[in-house]
Amino acid sequence: MKSKLILPLLLLSSTSLFHSCSKQKSEKNQPAIDGKNLTTCGEGSNCSFLFTEQADFEGYTTLKPGVFRVFWSSQRTSGITTTLYIKAPMQGKSFSLTKTDIIGGKIQFNRSCPACLMYEAPFKPVDGYVKGINTTPNNRADQTKWLVEAKIFLQADGIPQLKDTVFVKQYFDPNFVID
């Protein structure tokens, strides 16, 4: 009697073990990110968190047609505009970028101050991470929201001691309309 029960129990336990392992593997493919502790726009600032599809960027401020989903976070305060551009793959419902991607040009940082009389050293991204997840994957592309978290380490061109960090965690809205 015991031997008749052992085989079904072994099959049942191995099946549940297999499913739990495959679930953990699929969860690992999706970056861990939640909607808590979002970055806020500073007092007296105007912020926007947008994305567009089939795009690329050129220079510090120009979007052009391309093969990426481009996210940008912009903050404007009394004459100073700070913008972080992120090139993400078009495919998938989530993405992750690493230091290699950042150094490879998938991140662009720009701080402009036309009215400033002092020289500001240009900063370039040198490390960090970006992860994003489509929070409304069943919606049309122009009706989706992406939750993106980015921590980018910057270094001044020519002045390695001068460093800065940009952190953004926010929901990004589409900046295009289909139809």
Side-chain angles (χ1 to χ4, degrees):
M1 177 86 174
K2 281 187 177 182
S3 63
K4 288 181 181 181
L5 286 174
I6 291 176
L7 183 59
L9 286 174
L10 281 174
L11 287 173
L12 180 63
S13 64
S14 65
T15 303
S16 62
L17 180 63
F18 172 75
H19 286 297
S20 68
C21 289
S22 63
K23 183 178 178 185
Q24 288 174 352
K25 185 177 181 181
S26 67
E27 288 173 356
K28 282 184 180 180
N29 292 337
Q30 188 149 331
I33 184 171
D34 63 39
K36 298 176 183 174
N37 302 318
L38 300 176
T39 53
T40 57
C41 195
E43 191 173 322
S45 298
N46 181 11
C47 296
S48 60
F49 304 95
L50 301 169
F51 76 92
T52 192
E53 296 192 341
Q54 301 297 330
D56 202 342
F57 47 75
E58 165 174 277
Y60 286 105
T61 57
T62 307
L63 286 174
K64 65 179 188 174
V67 297
F68 299 99
R69 182 175 287 121
V70 175
F71 296 86
W72 67 96
S73 164
S74 184
Q75 180 176 356
R76 287 177 221 71
T77 58
S78 60
I80 299 173
T81 302
T82 303
T83 309
L84 178 68
Y85 293 98
I86 302 164
K87 277 194 236 187
M90 278 296 300
Q91 64 278 12
K93 296 176 184 174
S94 65
F95 70 93
S96 293
L97 302 178
T98 64
K99 178 180 180 175
T100 304
D101 299 313
I102 292 166
I103 292 172
K106 296 217 172 148
I107 301 294
Q108 185 72 268
F109 176 78
N110 182 36
R111 184 178 292 135
S112 66
C113 181
C116 294
L117 298 175
M118 61 183 214
Y119 170 77
E120 183 176 321
F123 282 84
K124 66 178 182 180
V126 294
D127 200 353
Y129 68 88
V130 182
K131 52 189 174 180
I133 186 167
N134 184 341
T135 61
T136 54
N138 297 324
N139 290 6
R140 290 181 358 173
D142 64 338
Q143 297 172 356
T144 61
K145 275 194 179 287
W146 281 78
L147 178 58
V148 176
E149 180 180 324
K151 187 171 190 176
I152 307 298
F153 299 102
L154 305 165
Q155 183 176 322
D157 261 350
I159 311 170
Q161 308 87 301
L162 193 53
K163 298 176 183 191
D164 199 358
T165 303
V166 174
F167 180 78
V168 174
K169 183 178 182 186
Q170 193 54 255
Y171 289 96
F172 284 68
D173 295 310
N175 189 37
F176 59 95
V177 177
I178 297 176
D179 292 336

